[in-house]
Amino acid sequence: MPATVSQENVYKKAAKESIKKRKFSQDYYDTLATFNKIAETYPLLNKESERKMIEKYRNNRQKLNSLLFYHNIRIVLNLARKYIQKTESPADLLMNGARGLMIATERFDIDKNIKFNTYATRWVFKYILMLF
């Protein structure tokens, strides 16, 4: 016998409540604290300041990659927040997002006139969705 509309609502409500009460592992909280600390330390760059940084570190690609990573860690936090309740291991979700951000810094073409966070969002999203 199929569930009635009111029974479906009860099931949906119970599922939402169990998600709200869900406890995460200590690894997740440690990773989240680290990412938040980086995000507070390194502000998001506008296009002009990003271009200046790229010109300054053009010959030192390793330093440029690390700075781009730190200044854009918010992308991982924002995209992971949407999927955090749907995964069994939220720490892996954050780490996969960070891996996607690293790939984006390595593959970013500094000669193109595109803002890095626009380019990196696609890579972070792709690596976050690999867990599903």
Side-chain angles (χ1 to χ4, degrees), residues 28 32 35 73-87 90-98 124-125 128 132:
Y28 165 71
L32 186 63
F35 281 21
I73 198 75
R74 282 180 180 83
I75 297 170
V76 176
L77 292 169
N78 288 335
L79 290 176
R81 188 177 304 137
K82 296 176 184 177
Y83 297 96
I84 211 79
Q85 298 294 340
K86 298 176 183 173
T87 183
D92 287 345
L93 190 72
L94 290 172
M95 296 311 289
N96 265 23
V124 172
F125 188 66
I128 284 175
F132 298 101

Side-chain angles (χ1 to χ4, degrees), residues 14-57:
K16 284 182 182 178
E17 287 177 17
S18 70
I19 287 173
K20 286 179 185 176
K21 293 178 183 177
R22 186 172 166 196
K23 301 286 184 206
F24 296 118
S25 69
Q26 189 60 40
D27 289 342
Y28 165 71
Y29 291 112
D30 294 343
T31 307
L32 186 63
T34 304
F35 281 21
N36 280 328
K37 193 171 193 174
I38 293 170
E40 290 170 6
T41 307
Y42 293 90
L44 196 59
L45 299 172
N46 60 22
K47 191 167 186 168
E48 186 178 306
S49 58
E50 186 178 286
R51 280 284 131 204
K52 286 179 185 177
M53 187 176 72
I54 287 172
E55 290 304 317
K56 183 177 179 181
Y57 295 107

Side-chain angles (χ1 to χ4, degrees), residues 51-65 110-111:
R51 280 284 131 204
K52 286 179 185 177
M53 187 176 72
I54 287 172
E55 290 304 317
K56 183 177 179 181
Y57 295 107
R58 181 176 285 278
N59 295 328
N60 188 354
R61 186 61 195 236
Q62 188 175 2
K63 176 74 172 174
L64 178 63
N65 286 355
I110 58 178
D111 295 324

